[in-house]
Amino acid sequence: MNRVKNFNAGPAALPLPALERAREEFLDFARSGMSVMEHSHRGKEYEACHDEAIALLKELLAVPDTHEVLFVQGGASQLFAQIPMNLVPKGGSADYVVTGAWSEKAVAEARLATAMLGGAVRVACTTGTGEGKEKSYVRAPAPGEVKAADGAAYLHLTSNETIHGVEFDVDASRAFPGTGAVPLIADMSSDFLWKKIDVSKFGLVYAGAQKNIGPSGVVVMVVSKALVEQGRKDIPKIFQFRTPAENKSLYNTPPTFGIYMIRNVLSWLKGLGGLPAMEARNRKKAGVLYGAIDANPAFYKCPVEKQSRSVMNVVFRLPGEADEERFVKEAKARGMVGLKGHRSVGGIRVSAYNAVEPAWIDELAAFMGEFARKG
Ligand SMILES: *Cc1c(COP(=O)(O)O)cnc(C)c1O
């Protein structure tokens, strides 16, 4: 077996111990004589695993009693539509902060959903500059730049823009924008569970599992019970947040294998010391990568402003596209894959999610130094 050093943006690397555990339990899950995929989602063996995944999320994030953890399907993309469907009342409006490609998509879907259901959408702040192919996003706004409209149904932001490598820096001098009585909603698909967050500050956070916590097919929501209750009742039941909330995310058949894998990943994460340990590990990795970029300023350029540089998705350019192609190819020959930037922006992107080992990052940084010297 020759496993590569996987820097994919998503689906992305999973921790080897979580995969090995799945291998061990694959044919005979919980001594039931079948795999977890073959179980009824109402059976006690599956249910124990489902409950454990929820309990681990609550424990790791210190989720308060005011909030609950839900599993839904359709990807984070479906939530782009489902959030306004639930939460923008007739005649109401929702605010959006646009910091890159994913928040652009979230607004576009919200426009369609609210047009259908009698509401509106407002872009409260955008950091995009230029148009068309020249459009770029290189920073998250400072808290003072974002002001939620009085009475907005919510303010939505993307805490980490996976494609542009732009992340809200909420640990240094900056916090997420204060929104007063307006609920704050964050798409945390690509920076969920790499460090602690204060759940009580959010009405809703959500994350597609395939970036940092499991395989694709599951979305984790941490949502305030008040928002669930306020949700519209004139949309199909399957889209209402109260449906999974009232049924422990077992209203219909959930993606059982995906939730099982989340359980494995979270129990690995807890074993490593939980979110404080993960934060130290990830900050160190990001420090090594940005260090390798900044050590060769004539060769590597990160377009993102320093304070908004993503810890999870590190993007940079080389002098020319031919250099970038060669970089990706030579790295691949050394067992390092998934480094090509998103097709819409080009360049190089290193996704350094929780499961990416610090040793891989050290090896990549050494390669970057060598590659720059060779020119
Ligand atoms: C990947 C990603 C999405 C889309 O997730 P899907 O599960 O493919 O719908 C949305 N938002 C962010 C920030 C992402 O990184």
Side-chain angles (χ1 to χ4, degrees), residues 84 88 92-98 103 106-108 110-111 114 119-126 145-157 179 182:
V88 181
S93 175
D95 277 359
Y96 281 75
V97 178
V98 178
S103 31
V107 181
R111 280 215 177 90
T114 51
V121 166
R122 182 182 80 110
V123 173
C125 173
T126 175
E145 278 178 77
V146 179
K147 189 159 176 349
D150 282 342
Y154 56 81
L155 181 123
H156 179 283
L157 58 79
T179 53
V182 174

Side-chain angles (χ1 to χ4, degrees), residues 1-76:
M1 188 171 61
N2 190 14
R3 286 182 55 83
V4 292
K5 294 159 200 100
N6 179 357
F7 300 104
N8 277 337
L14 288 165
L16 187 58
L19 293 169
E20 285 170 338
R21 182 173 180 185
R23 180 177 62 186
E24 272 156 38
E25 296 177 344
F26 197 65
L27 296 180
D28 186 9
F29 173 66
R31 277 186 282 281
S32 63
M34 59 179 121
S35 77
V36 67
M37 287 180 286
E38 299 166 285
H39 264 278
S40 165
H41 58 297
R42 313 260 174 227
K44 68 176 186 340
E45 291 91 348
Y46 173 72
E47 211 173 357
C49 166
H50 185 94
D51 292 349
E52 191 186 343
I54 294 172
L56 280 164
L57 279 161
K58 286 188 172 164
E59 181 186 341
L60 289 165
L61 281 168
V63 175
D65 283 344
T66 48
H67 286 61
E68 51 195 324
V69 171
L70 305 178
F71 296 126
V72 294
Q73 300 190 55

